[in-house]
Amino acid sequence: MESQIQQQPNPNNEPTNNQTPRSPFEKLKNNLVFKSKWAEINGAMGDLGTYIPIVLALTLAQNLNLGTTLIFTGVYNIITGALYGVPMPVQPMKSIAAAALSSTPEEFGIPEIMAAGICTGAILLLLGVTGLMQLAYKLIPLSVVRGIQLAQGLNFAMTAVKYVRKNQNFSNSKSVGDRQWLGLDGLLLALVCACFIIVVNGAGEETETTGCQLATTVDDHQKPKKGKWRRIVASLPSAFIVFLLGVIFAFIRKPKLIHDIKFGPSSIQIVKISKHAWKQGFIKGTIPQLPLSILNSVIAVCKLSYDLFPNKDFSPTSVSITVGLMNVIGCWFSAMPCCHGAGGLAGQYKFGGRSGGCVALLGLAKMVLGLVLGSSLVVILNKFPVGVLGVLLLFAGIELAMAARDMNSKEDAFVVL
């Protein structure tokens, strides 16, 4: 009879490493190797429902350098995938993006956006280097983090429903009337895509080991066996197929789109930031962004990562430092302020991402697009069916919100809600 393997309790939910030490090269190779080829490719699409709308909106409204942003975020994806070995997302800083989209370029333009990103990154870097982020991780209760995850997940889901039901004008972040049922960006298309993902993915795998569960071996006769057709359907890369369908429909919606594409990377220039831009960026961007970055981009990401990948050995200190370095370096070259996010991690995990190779592949794709198409890629994104993006975002939000299901006591549930 096979013995049962019980995980040691971890009251602080801190990342641990139960594996034998490896050389840096072996660790890097293990972090980037695909667990399943199609599942990892599919998982790479799980974060695009958040990434594309915000990047497109900033490009249209604030003239963000899309080519540079793609190159830098691609590099971030590859580095974080290699370092952590999990599908660690790279997402826009949402509070800074919201401040930019609610203002004119004269009030809060590219210099202010980049100043906000640099200030936020510098503070996160300082918190990581001094060890204060690790202290915050230990002091903040799990129920508070679960509440953040629930709120963020429900916010994603509500935004996704808005994308599906209403036509969107991303240049001013407003809905502009009800979406028609038929058409290449109609309600029917979004519903078909949602049904397809539900049929393929269902509620997700219940057999995944989490940090608060026991990892036990089960005899083969005790495991529910799927039928042949069910196994075939479950193996389909649903998010990848849906995203590819959206790209095809973007060209069908405007066949002359290809004539608007210019090949070659965008020019990379250092941003000139005035004293006024530093002040406005810190007040309007950094101050509202900093609590969200600390709680959702570092602490919630680490807690969720431990739930999903209990044997990975990264800490809040390292995550805080990588987020800080991304912005302290990239924002000087007009790359969008970025962070990690529990929602992106949940979305990529939902669709099959299980390794750093998942986001490294996404990063490579971003770099290729940034180098080959540059900022002209915006003409394709502008015609991408928004309802399809809404469907991808919906399932990412649901997956993140479901992280709160382990709060069983009345006291914890009260704090979460």
Side-chain angles (χ1 to χ4, degrees), residues 242-264:
V242 167
F243 181 76
L244 186 62
L245 182 68
V247 173
I248 293 172
F249 280 8
F251 282 96
I252 295 176
R253 291 177 72 190
K254 188 178 179 181
K256 296 182 179 180
L257 200 64
I258 194 169
H259 299 300
D260 298 328
I261 296 176
K262 298 178 181 179
F263 294 97

Side-chain angles (χ1 to χ4, degrees), residues 50-320:
T50 309
Y51 183 86
I52 291 178
I54 295 178
V55 171
L56 178 60
L58 289 173
T59 302
L60 295 175
Q62 296 287 351
N63 199 27
L64 176 75
N65 191 325
L66 179 59
T68 301
T69 293
L70 286 171
I71 293 171
F72 274 88
T73 54
V75 172
Y76 302 157
N77 276 130
I78 294 172
I79 292 175
T80 53
L83 282 175
Y84 300 125
V86 301
M88 184 70 74
V90 174
Q91 298 181 319
M93 287 189 171
K94 298 177 183 63
S95 291
I96 294 176
L101 294 173
S102 62
S103 308
T104 64
E106 291 75 22
E107 296 171 339
F108 198 91
I110 294 299
E112 288 78 10
I113 294 171
M114 300 308 155
I118 293 169
C119 291
T120 305
I123 294 172
L124 291 174
L125 182 61
L126 179 64
L127 292 175
V129 170
T130 58
L132 291 175
M133 189 64 77
Q134 183 72 32
L135 178 64
Y137 181 88
K138 292 180 178 179
L139 294 178
I140 295 176
L142 180 61
S143 55
V144 173
V145 178
R146 290 290 187 255
I148 295 168
Q149 292 170 330
L150 178 62
Q152 188 72 64
L154 293 177
N155 181 52
F156 278 5
M158 295 301 293
T159 301
V161 171
K162 181 181 71 174
Y163 285 173
V164 171
R165 291 184 61 243
K166 304 285 187 179
N167 293 311
Q168 302 298 315
N169 184 346
F170 285 125
S171 62
N172 56 18
S173 297
K174 292 183 179 179
S175 300
V176 287
D178 294 335
R179 191 175 301 283
Q180 296 180 346
W181 276 95
L182 301 178
L184 297 178
D185 190 13
L187 277 172
L188 185 60
L189 173 64
L191 292 176
V192 168
C193 291
C195 290
F196 174 68
I197 291 175
I198 291 172
V199 169
V200 173
N201 295 94
E205 294 292 337
E206 288 293 342
T207 56
E208 295 292 339
T209 303
T210 64
C212 55
Q213 292 176 323
L214 301 180
T216 60
T217 57
V218 183
D219 293 336
D220 289 339
H221 64 83
Q222 291 179 313
K223 296 180 181 179
K225 294 184 178 180
K226 296 180 180 179
K228 177 182 177 181
W229 288 109
R230 178 57 189 154
R231 290 197 302 271
I232 294 173
V233 171
S235 67
L236 294 174
S238 57
F240 179 73
I241 293 173
V242 167
F243 181 76
L244 186 62
L245 182 68
V247 173
I248 293 172
F249 280 8
F251 282 96
I252 295 176
R253 291 177 72 190
K254 188 178 179 181
K256 296 182 179 180
L257 200 64
I258 194 169
H259 299 300
D260 298 328
I261 296 176
K262 298 178 181 179
F263 294 97
S266 305
S267 59
I268 298 178
Q269 298 177 344
I270 296 178
V271 180
K272 296 180 180 179
I273 305 176
S274 64
K275 290 183 179 180
H276 177 75
W278 282 112
K279 179 181 177 181
Q280 291 299 308
F282 184 81
I283 294 173
K284 292 185 177 181
T286 299
I287 291 176
Q289 177 64 47
L290 196 58
L292 183 62
S293 292
I294 292 173
L295 292 173
N296 186 57
S297 302
V298 180
I299 294 176
V301 163
C302 289
K303 300 264 189 189
L304 182 62
S305 297
Y306 176 75
D307 290 340
L308 302 177
F309 309 97
N311 292 325
K312 292 299 180 180
D313 60 345
F314 57 91
S315 66
T317 297
S318 64
V319 174
S320 184

